[in-house]
């Protein structure tokens, strides 16, 4: 079985757009947070569905579940994720199977 034939449910996906939302996690480094996730200073400040598609293009990702990225406005962040889902089809883990 090749890597691109196995159906994948990516159950922890982060999109972020620091042009639109403010993410305090990027404002200053936190030793406690880095102990959990590693050095996050190199993370992109913008990572959207097209970036995800490029990074997973050789895999058979059939569903995605979005996880918030700890913005300082969680309501706007969820609305933004809903807009992304409508525009790009990702995240789509809450869709009913066909």
């Amino acid at each position: 079985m090749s890597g691109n034939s196995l159906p994948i449910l990516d159950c922890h996906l982060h999109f972020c757009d620091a042009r639109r939302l403010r993410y305090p996690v990027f404002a200053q480094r936190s030793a406690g947070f880095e102990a959990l996730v590693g050095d996050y200073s190199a993370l992109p400040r913008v990572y959207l569905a097209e970036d995800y598609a490029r990074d997973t293009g050789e895999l058979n990702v059939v569903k995605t579940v979005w996880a918030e990225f700890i913005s300082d406005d969680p309501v706007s962040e969820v609305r933004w994720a809903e807009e992304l889902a409508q525009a790009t089809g990702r995240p789509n883990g809450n869709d009913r199977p066909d």
Side-chain angles (χ1 to χ4, degrees):
M1 179 179 294
S2 69
N4 62 358
S5 64
L6 181 66
I8 298 169
L9 166 60
D10 186 344
C11 62
H12 193 113
L13 165 67
H14 292 283
F15 290 140
C16 65
D17 189 345
R19 300 168 303 189
R20 181 170 179 157
L21 297 163
R22 186 170 127 30
Y23 303 96
V25 69
F26 292 137
Q28 66 181 11
R29 295 180 70 159
S30 162
F33 190 64
E34 283 191 349
L36 294 172
V37 301
D39 179 5
Y40 55 90
S41 64
L43 289 175
R45 299 315 191 244
V46 176
Y47 190 80
L48 302 171
E50 54 269 18
D51 302 305
Y52 182 81
R54 180 194 63 239
D55 292 343
T56 61
E58 303 212 4
L59 302 171
N60 184 19
V61 178
V62 296
K63 296 285 182 181
T64 55
V65 177
W66 173 79
E68 89 295 330
F69 205 71
I70 318 170
S71 80
D72 63 355
D73 185 352
V75 173
S76 291
E77 189 174 12
V78 169
R79 287 184 179 137
W80 171 70
E82 290 173 351
E83 290 172 17
L84 286 176
Q86 291 296 316
T88 69
R90 297 262 192 231
N92 64 348
N94 62 337
D95 293 346
R96 293 179 186 216
D98 298 330

